[in-house]
Amino acid sequence: MRIAVISDIHANLPALRAVLADIKLQSPDLTVNLGDHLAGPIDPVAVADLLMEGDFPTIRGNHDRWLLEPPGGELTGVDRFVADRLTQEHYWWLRTQPPTMALPDIFMCHGTPQSDEAPWLDHWWTGRMHPQPDEAAVAALADGLDYPVLLCGHTHIPRAVRLKDGRLIVNPGSVGLQINHGTPDAQYAILDRVGGDWRAQQRMVPYDRAAAASAAEANGFPRWRAALITGWESPEGLF
Ligand SMILES: [Fe+2]
């Protein structure tokens, strides 16, 4: 059994196309999507169309939720840009997406099982001082979830940990927006069940970053250029 895991596409069409092409080469049985598909200034409409066509098991991220339920009743910045472009059909598709999903062996969430805004496997945006929580903190949030594999996204930091009880938790990183960790390449994960054990591998896929950066600029979001081109920028000011 082989599963491709994508997350945090953030409307980056060139990155998504490159990742889907790489996934095809990996011949998975299934591709799953952990949310934050559309919140980006590149091409949210084409990304939504492509994902609807792919019909992957999909959960919503915090930005997808905000499109349906604007925080404080109003969207701003990138989220406003996206909302202004989506069709009724796109909104119907977003409404079908649950916050979490369980497949045989696999539990999917965006941030943590309890929250689409909290980070699970890293805390780099909280003071930047203690980027990795200890095993007890990670395991506490997995309490009661009897699945050999737990998936999360949201932080854009790829990481896989194995709890002391053997459960594997994987954050595949972000397809469309690399922040603060030093590679601009699109990221996703491949899971394989070999015998009774699940194993994870991270994939890094180069793509046409200049095209993505130019589209972001042309759409009025020049701050995205450096983030997309280098992968070393912080997320402050992007949304
Ligand atoms: Fe997110």
Side-chain angles (χ1 to χ4, degrees):
M1 180 72 170
R2 168 167 275 200
I3 296 177
V5 186
I6 60 176
S7 189
D8 295 275
I9 298 161
H10 284 280
N12 191 333
L13 182 66
L16 178 60
R17 282 197 173 130
V19 162
L20 292 178
D22 195 75
I23 287 174
K24 205 169 178 186
L25 297 176
Q26 304 299 316
S27 305
D29 301 291
L30 184 69
T31 297
V32 301
N33 176 7
L34 305 180
D36 277 6
H37 339 292
L38 307 181
I42 300 164
D43 199 336
V45 168
V47 164
D49 290 343
L50 197 52
L51 291 173
M52 286 167 74
E53 192 184 306
D55 200 22
F56 312 119
T58 294
I59 58 171
R60 68 178 190 221
N62 53 308
H63 282 277
D64 308 311
R65 174 169 57 81
W66 293 342
L67 287 168
L68 299 173
E69 305 157 12
E74 203 179 339
L75 292 173
T76 56
V78 167
D79 295 308
R80 175 82 264 154
F81 168 86
V82 175
D84 287 345
R85 280 154 184 79
L86 298 183
T87 66
Q88 208 47 251
E89 204 183 357
H90 297 135
Y91 279 103
W92 287 331
W93 173 66
L94 286 173
R95 279 190 202 101
T96 65
Q97 297 163 18
T100 64
M101 188 183 291
L103 304 171
D105 272 15
I106 310 275
F107 179 84
M108 298 157 57
C109 64
H110 181 70
T112 69
Q114 299 78 19
S115 166
D116 61 17
E117 293 189 66
W120 197 357
L121 302 186
D122 58 84
H123 286 142
W124 65 268
W125 58 26
T126 311
R128 316 292 202 261
M129 295 300 287
H130 299 283
Q132 294 172 349
D134 62 19
E135 199 268 350
V138 174
L141 299 180
D143 191 34
L145 292 170
D146 189 17
Y147 300 87
V149 180
L150 304 162
L151 301 176
C152 63
H154 183 55
T155 68
H156 300 210
I157 308 286
R159 191 167 183 232
V161 304
R162 197 175 286 283
L163 297 177
K164 290 175 181 173
D165 62 19
R167 285 176 294 171
L168 180 65
I169 309 182
V170 179
N171 184 329
S174 168
V175 169
L177 178 58
Q178 313 310 320
I179 37 180
N180 263 354
H181 59 276
T183 173
D185 296 346
Q187 311 222 26
Y188 77 100
I190 291 283
L191 302 173
D192 284 296
R193 189 175 59 205
V194 180
D197 293 325
W198 283 95
R199 55 183 69 176
Q201 52 175 305
Q202 189 64 30
R203 302 279 304 169
M204 296 167 61
V205 185
Y207 73 97
D208 189 348
R209 313 193 304 273
S214 296
E217 256 173 2
N219 286 326
F221 295 88
R223 170 78 176 75
W224 280 60
R225 170 169 284 278
L228 292 167
I229 294 292
T230 72
W232 285 97
E233 297 295 305
S234 94
E236 272 83 19
L238 288 184
F239 291 94

